[in-house]
Amino acid sequence: MNQNALVTGGAGYIGSHAVLALIEAGYRVVVVDDLSTGRRQALPDGVPLIEGDIADQALIDKIIREYGVGAVIHFAGSIVVPESVSDPLKYYRNNTAASRALIETCVNAEIHHFIFSSTAAVYGMPEKVPVSENSPTAPINPYGASKLMTEWMLRDTAAAHDFRYVALRYFNVAGADPSGRTGLSSPNATHLIKIASQVVTGQRDHIEVFGEDYDTPDGTCIRDYIHVSDLAAAHVDALRHLTDGGGSLVLNCGYGHGFSVRDVLQAVEQ
C-alpha cells in the first residue's frame, strides 16, 4: 500500500491538523500551498512544503512523480461565505476551476484515491434537521455552489475512470490541536469562537450577535460544531477506507447536535 499522500492547502487551519494526523498514522506527507492564507509555521519540521498553485498541472504532476504520491487530500480553496457573494468569480476560480485542473492531473498521473474537503453549505437552508447525506443539495451562496460543483466533477470522474473519492461535508469546525502545534491563525477572524476569544483577550472591544428571533430556545442561530482534531481523524479514516478497497463516499462531518450563539458565548465567558 502506498503511504505517500499529497495534501493541498496543508498549511491552512484544517489542512495542518490533517497533516499531523496523517503523520501520526504512519503516512508520508508532502504539502502544496500557495500560502495566501496558510502558514509555513503550521507544519511540523521535515514535511516538504512546495509553494504553488494547485491549478498548475505541470507542477502538481512533478510533485506526484517526485514524491511517489499515491493519494491526494484536497483542502486548498477559498472559504469565506460573504466574500463568495461579493466576489463569486474568485470562488469559481479558486474552488471549482482549480479543483477541475487538480482532478485532471490526478487522473493523468493514475492517482486512484482522492479525499475532498467539502462543506455542509451544499445543503443551503435544509428543511429537516439534523441533515442527512441524502438531503437535497441547494446551496444559497457561491461558496456552497463551488464546492458542490467539485463534488459533481468527482462523481462523474469516478464513473469514467479507475478513481475513487471521499467527499467530507464539514459542519462548523472549531478548536485547535490539543498539544498547541497548530490552530486557527487567520488574521481576520470570521468564526464565532475565534471572534469571542479575541474579545476576551482584548483584541476586540465587542462582539455582535446577528439575529435573535430564530426559532430556537434562546432565539439565536444554532450550529453543529466539530472539533478540528476529530475532523482530521476523519480524513485518515477516509484514506484508509479507500486504500482498503472501499468505494466512493459522501459523508457529513458533525456531531448531529448543535449549540446556539448564546451557548458559545456563555462557554467562552466561563
Side-chain angles (χ1 to χ4, degrees):
M1 184 178 71
N2 189 321
Q3 295 283 91
N4 297 346
L6 169 61
V7 180
T8 74
Y13 171 43
I14 302 170
S16 63
H17 287 85
V19 165
L20 293 172
L22 287 161
I23 291 169
E24 287 167 2
Y27 291 92
R28 292 180 293 275
V29 175
V30 55
V31 170
V32 61
D33 198 303
D34 67 4
L35 298 182
S36 58
T37 55
R39 294 165 60 254
R40 190 176 297 271
Q41 306 95 293
L43 293 171
D45 293 339
V47 172
L49 169 63
I50 291 91
E51 188 174 348
D53 186 344
I54 62 163
D56 183 343
Q57 292 184 279
L59 172 66
I60 300 301
D61 183 75
K62 180 174 182 285
I63 294 168
I64 287 171
R65 297 185 191 285
E66 191 173 314
Y67 288 91
V69 169
V72 170
I73 304 170
H74 177 31
F75 295 97
S78 300
I79 62 167
V80 181
V81 171
E83 183 190 43
S84 82
V85 176
S86 62
D87 191 0
L89 293 178
K90 173 181 176 180
Y91 279 68
Y92 291 123
R93 180 186 67 238
N94 288 359
N95 293 356
T96 312
S99 294
R100 193 215 68 83
L102 176 66
I103 295 164
E104 183 175 60
T105 306
C106 290
V107 169
N108 291 339
E110 298 185 346
I111 296 292
H112 306 301
H113 303 141
F114 193 102
I115 295 167
F116 175 51
S117 164
S118 191
T119 171
V122 300
Y123 297 115
M125 301 288 284
E127 293 179 6
K128 291 183 179 179
V129 176
V131 181
S132 80
E133 289 85 353
N134 297 320
S135 298
T137 50
I140 58 171
N141 51 61
Y143 167 64
S146 70
K147 291 285 195 174
L148 183 58
M149 288 178 184
T150 302
E151 286 193 21
W152 290 345
M153 289 189 288
L154 290 168
R155 176 197 66 196
D156 296 343
T157 301
H161 298 278
D162 181 10
F163 179 90
R164 288 173 290 120
Y165 70 95
V166 176
L168 298 176
R169 293 173 175 170
Y170 309 166
F171 285 77
N172 292 260
V173 187
D177 174 57
S179 301
R181 294 170 293 180
T182 185
L184 180 59
S185 54
S186 54
N188 300 312
T190 58
H191 293 66
L192 170 63
I193 293 173
K194 179 162 183 175
I195 292 171
S197 300
Q198 288 182 333
V199 174
V200 168
T201 54
Q203 297 172 59
R204 290 176 183 243
D205 58 8
H206 72 287
I207 186 168
E208 295 179 41
V209 175
F210 298 102
E212 295 180 288
D213 56 356
Y214 286 89
D215 184 19
T216 61
D218 65 17
T220 63
C221 189
I222 290 177
R223 291 281 181 265
D224 185 338
Y225 294 92
I226 179 171
H227 195 281
V228 66
S229 295
D230 287 342
L231 186 58
H235 289 76
V236 176
D237 289 341
L239 183 53
R240 286 187 177 132
H241 166 78
L242 292 176
T243 54
D244 287 345
S248 297
L249 292 172
V250 177
L251 298 171
N252 289 341
C253 288
Y255 297 143
H257 57 83
F259 296 93
S260 73
V261 173
R262 290 197 188 282
D263 289 336
V264 172
L265 295 182
Q266 287 169 1
V268 173
E269 280 180 348
Q270 288 171 10

